[in-house]
Amino acid sequence: MVYLYVREAILLLVAWVVFIQVRFWYRWTVFKRWSRQNGCEEVPVVPNKLPWGLERYAILVNGQFGKMDLLEDLVRARFTDMGFWTFRMFNIFNNTMVQTCEPQNVQTVLALKFDDYDLGPLRTGAFKEVIGNGIFTADGQEWAHFRQQLRPQFNREQISDLESSSRHMQILFKALPEEDAQGWIEGTDLMPYLFRFTMDVSTEFLFGHSVDTQSRTLHSQDSGNTQEIQDDLQFTEAITFASDYTGWRLRFGPLYWLVSSKKYKTSCELVQRFADRFVDHALNPGKKVPSSGKERKYVLLNELVSETRDPMELRSQVLHVMLAGRETTASLLSFVLLLVSRHPDEFKKLREAVISHFGTDISPTNEITFSSLKACKPISNFLYETLRLYPLVPVNGRRALRDTILPTGGGPDRKQPIAIKKGEQVGFPSYVIHRRHDIWGEDADEFRPDRWINRKLGWEMTAFGGGPRVCLGQQFALNEVSFVLVRFLQRYDSIEAVDMVSPLKKKLSVILGPAEGQKIRLHRATS
């Protein structure tokens, strides 16, 4: 009897697999006919060694994942192996994806045919547990609603306010190790200081209350152990862990929901509970809430209350801004200072420009403002070159909502239009586009900020996306990073990497950042 049940179960499974495959072949035949009728040509296909390309998922379980530079060893290497800038992949469960590094195709997806694409269920599902539904996971009218809420919050008046950044910058300098008799701070990993700095500034901007991780680390022995301090530190640890874990879940694609843990669920609950306190206060101002002392003149959460009084919506919106803004700014800051330390000639040129515009730490000559930072072009060039080589979102994509067309990548010359099937993913890795030698020159892999002199941004540079979903906070982030960079260059007349030979190590989670443990030396300027 058991044998009969097992046999029937196997037969049903086989029948289901056959049905799925036949349906896929039929739909694919209909799509290819539509493609030819619309003048599209075939696109190269990545060969699969196993059904559904299962060999590509092996690195997630065979121990090789942590040993690889994913962007170089997988993403970029695939384009090199294929020898084309656009190709199609057949993946698990007959999911297909077109990968393209053609700026013209990226412009089509993000702008010219914006309504033909959405984010798809993967991003929404993977992020929902920690930050809910908001501007970075929503599509269609829901996304338009969230964006309309947030757009006014990133106008020039808000992003120009550097008072909070200046205050937390002073705490950062105090938290750094002491200088020796010659004025050197030896062998220090700046990343923890920079991540604490952006955490403190971000929570003050969002909630009107800074978690003050930098000062509490500095005074850890005598800061006490109040419930407020415990809550702040738990929130900091929880959102950092939840962000990293979400990045891991995304590696599993449509199977992300299989990846979970008790610590992840607990971290998500802690993050949301922390935000709920401030949402409740914003909706009911009479209630007591932790205060950082000085009252901020602008708090994003308080401004959002004038747009909506839905507590779930308010919580999701501020957490979306928190997760997207805090980690990206900290990672960009870390990359910038690591690159400064590894390129002494660029450091010298940039410091001379900073001193010329703003004076020294001891003798400032010009106020650091949004306008004065924008006027110092060498800073902008340095940041753009950093983002070119190390885009914070190095791999991005969209899902086709209908059968549609991309302008190039097909045919024998790889320049003919190609068809995109409804439901198909289109990926466009900025990391590879930004390093194309035929676009950027034979020195495309080299760090050279002067390439940005008189160069305008185009679709070959997508560090902040583009089209209607272009990053709202890009000027906010660039302004804050520019401010921190100026303060470091005013204060230190030498910033050197301890290891000038090894390649800069990267870490890919939800966003791209430097790997920890890369140390630098700083020398305090005396005049």
Side-chain angles (χ1 to χ4, degrees):
M1 182 66 71
V2 173
Y3 169 76
L4 291 175
Y5 282 136
V6 171
R7 188 180 67 173
E8 289 177 0
I10 293 174
L11 288 173
L12 283 173
L13 178 61
V14 171
W16 177 77
V17 171
V18 171
F19 168 74
I20 293 296
Q21 285 300 126
V22 170
R23 185 179 64 175
F24 172 74
W25 287 329
Y26 171 75
R27 290 178 175 176
W28 194 253
T29 300
V30 172
F31 167 70
K32 291 184 75 171
R33 186 185 309 127
W34 180 89
S35 171
R36 290 192 296 270
Q37 290 171 350
N38 284 273
C40 296
E41 297 280 358
E42 293 294 321
V43 65
V45 174
V46 177
N48 285 342
K49 298 177 182 177
L50 295 174
W52 293 337
L54 288 175
E55 71 276 3
R56 292 195 287 271
Y57 296 87
I59 62 167
L60 295 172
V61 294
N62 66 5
Q64 295 300 309
F65 186 85
K67 302 175 183 178
M68 304 178 75
D69 182 333
L70 296 179
L71 295 173
E72 286 289 340
D73 300 338
L74 284 182
V75 180
R76 195 180 185 190
R78 186 171 290 136
F79 280 92
T80 301
D81 293 343
M82 288 296 293
F84 308 113
W85 295 121
T86 302
F87 51 79
R88 176 172 273 120
M89 301 168 64
F90 288 81
N91 295 324
I92 193 168
F93 303 139
N94 291 323
N95 287 316
T96 61
M97 169 182 278
V98 168
Q99 291 273 12
T100 183
C101 283
E102 293 287 2
Q104 192 178 355
N105 286 343
V106 178
Q107 181 184 20
T108 301
V109 172
L110 295 182
L112 300 180
K113 291 190 176 181
F114 175 79
D115 291 333
D116 282 1
Y117 298 89
D118 69 1
L119 298 177
L122 174 58
R123 189 192 293 192
T124 302
F127 282 94
K128 188 173 183 180
E129 202 163 352
V130 58
I131 57 176
N133 191 31
I135 187 170
F136 298 112
T137 57
D139 283 308
Q141 290 301 312
E142 192 177 32
W143 162 79
H145 166 71
F146 290 142
R147 188 174 179 89
Q148 189 62 33
Q149 280 184 354
L150 285 174
R151 182 189 291 275
Q153 316 310 328
F154 289 94
N155 62 40
R156 177 166 173 170
E157 182 179 350
Q158 268 62 268
I159 67 176
S160 300
D161 183 10
L162 292 169
E163 185 274 330
S164 173
S165 298
S166 181
R167 184 158 30 84
H168 288 291
M169 197 70 222
Q170 291 302 318
I171 300 172
L172 186 158
F173 285 143
K174 290 179 182 178
L176 289 174
E178 291 186 9
E179 300 156 9
D180 63 20
Q182 286 73 44
W184 284 97
I185 296 176
E186 295 288 353
T188 299
D189 180 2
L190 284 180
M191 279 187 62
Y193 300 93
L194 298 173
F195 271 74
R196 287 194 290 265
F197 167 82
T198 56
M199 174 65 78
D200 295 344
V201 173
S202 295
T203 49
E204 190 167 328
F205 172 75
L206 292 170
F207 304 121
H209 164 79
S210 174
V211 291
D212 287 333
T213 56
Q214 199 86 264
S215 60
R216 284 168 179 167
T217 301
L218 178 63
H219 303 295
S220 58
Q221 299 301 314
D222 56 7
S223 61
N225 193 28
T226 66
Q227 185 62 48
E228 180 186 330
I229 290 176
Q230 289 183 33
D231 291 344
D232 288 352
L233 293 178
Q234 284 179 348
F235 169 75
T236 302
E237 294 170 2
I239 197 167
T240 300
F241 177 81
S243 175
D244 288 343
Y245 200 88
T246 300
W248 173 244
R249 298 179 88 199
L250 288 169
R251 302 286 180 274
F252 289 81
L255 298 178
Y256 74 89
W257 50 273
L258 292 175
V259 184
S260 189
S261 71
K262 183 177 180 180
K263 183 177 180 180
Y264 174 68
K265 292 180 179 295
T266 301
S267 296
C268 293
E269 292 169 0
L270 279 169
V271 168
Q272 294 180 358
R273 193 160 60 240
F274 182 89
D276 282 340
R277 284 191 300 151
F278 293 95
V279 168
D280 186 46
H281 172 69
L283 293 170
N284 306 282
K287 290 191 175 182
K288 186 177 179 181
V289 72
S291 171
S292 299
K294 185 173 180 179
E295 191 72 21
R296 270 191 65 86
K297 59 185 177 183
Y298 177 86
V299 177
L300 183 139
L301 182 55
N302 293 343
E303 298 300 321
L304 285 178
V305 169
S306 63
E307 301 286 338
T308 178
R309 295 190 65 82
D310 181 340
M312 294 288 288
E313 191 171 312
L314 288 168
R315 180 182 74 188
S316 294
Q317 284 285 62
V318 293
L319 288 179
H320 273 243
V321 176
M322 179 72 177
L323 192 66
R326 172 251 173 173
E327 194 167 348
T328 54
T329 304
S331 292
L332 178 54
L333 270 172
S334 300
F335 273 128
V336 163
L337 290 172
L338 283 171
L339 288 167
V340 159
S341 72
R342 286 167 168 263
H343 296 85
D345 291 342
E346 298 298 341
F347 168 81
K348 182 180 178 182
K349 287 193 295 184
L350 188 59
R351 187 167 192 269
E352 287 174 354
V354 165
I355 300 305
S356 174
H357 276 76
F358 303 103
T360 66
D361 185 42
I362 299 172
S363 303
T365 58
N366 189 18
E367 186 180 0
I368 305 176
T369 65
F370 177 83
S371 298
S372 62
L373 288 170
K374 291 278 285 185
C376 188
K377 294 302 180 184
I379 294 177
S380 299
N381 295 341
F382 199 96
L383 297 188
Y384 283 142
E385 183 68 349
T386 302
L387 288 165
R388 182 187 71 83
L389 285 176
Y390 302 101
L392 301 175
V393 183
V395 180
N396 209 336
R398 295 290 187 269
R399 180 187 67 165
L401 292 171
R402 56 188 64 86
D403 292 345
T404 186
I405 296 172
L406 291 180
T408 188
D413 63 357
R414 309 306 176 200
K415 296 184 182 300
Q416 304 308 308
I418 63 171
I420 303 298
K421 189 175 180 292
K422 178 182 178 181
E424 189 166 36
Q425 293 287 329
V426 177
F428 38 93
S430 297
Y431 183 86
V432 182
I433 300 171
H434 292 181
R435 292 168 181 253
R436 280 183 56 169
H437 287 203
D438 58 327
I439 292 177
W440 298 95
E442 290 305 313
D443 64 350
D445 288 286
E446 298 175 17
F447 182 76
R448 188 170 65 81
D450 284 352
R451 77 174 75 244
W452 289 96
I453 295 175
N454 298 323
R455 183 170 190 142
K456 294 183 179 179
L457 289 174
W459 285 98
E460 72 281 359
M461 171 67 168
T462 55
F464 288 101
R469 290 192 84 124
V470 67
C471 177
L472 275 176
Q474 70 177 78
Q475 288 303 325
F476 183 89
L478 291 174
N479 192 47
E480 187 165 305
V481 173
S482 298
F483 171 79
V484 175
L485 178 59
V486 167
R487 294 294 294 115
F488 264 94
L489 294 177
Q490 285 182 314
R491 189 178 182 89
Y492 301 103
D493 59 13
S494 184
I495 301 178
E496 303 172 356
V498 171
D499 181 356
M500 297 286 282
V501 178
S502 301
L504 196 158
K505 299 180 180 66
K506 307 183 291 290
K507 174 187 175 183
L508 181 58
S509 181
V510 172
I511 58 110
L512 178 64
E516 297 175 355
Q518 300 179 85
K519 297 182 178 182
I520 65 175
R521 305 169 66 233
L522 305 99
H523 184 264
R524 181 70 176 271
T526 56
S527 64

